[in-house]
Amino acid sequence: MADPHWNHNVHHHPAVLAAVPDGCRTALDAGCGDGLLTRKPAARSAAVTGVDRSPEMIKLAREHAYVPGNVVYREATTSPTSPCPRPRTTS
């Protein structure tokens, strides 16, 4: 039976996960889609963030049956030409 989650990106998941060391502090999945890859390194990372520009995909990722407590999803873009919110400064 074929994996219902397979797409061309899933083929690369083992290589990506092999690059995440045990005890990793943070991991980022840019273009996370439905969060399938984002959830995988959560077992060996302190915090994992999934980012996608599509609000529909972020909604799907957040609604997944199992999202580890150390995983967050953010609607955002990683494009260098898009405006980026400036960090707040406190004085």
Side-chain angles (χ1 to χ4, degrees):
M1 179 179 199
D3 183 345
H5 296 289
W6 193 92
N7 62 46
H8 68 280
N9 290 322
V10 172
H11 172 77
H12 300 286
H13 284 191
V16 171
L17 293 171
V20 178
D22 287 334
C24 177
R25 287 182 44 194
T26 61
L28 172 67
D29 182 7
C32 69
D34 68 0
L36 179 62
L37 176 60
T38 313
R39 293 184 293 274
K40 291 181 178 182
R44 56 182 174 208
S45 301
V48 184
T49 302
V51 176
D52 202 284
R53 70 181 186 167
S54 167
E56 293 83 10
M57 295 310 289
I58 291 297
K59 183 175 186 288
L60 282 174
R62 288 178 177 153
E63 291 175 347
H64 191 271
Y66 173 70
V67 177
N70 61 336
V71 173
V72 296
Y73 294 105
R74 306 257 186 247
E75 180 188 339
T77 181
T78 57
S79 171
T81 59
S82 68
C84 211
R86 296 190 184 267
R88 293 182 183 181
T89 57
T90 56
S91 336

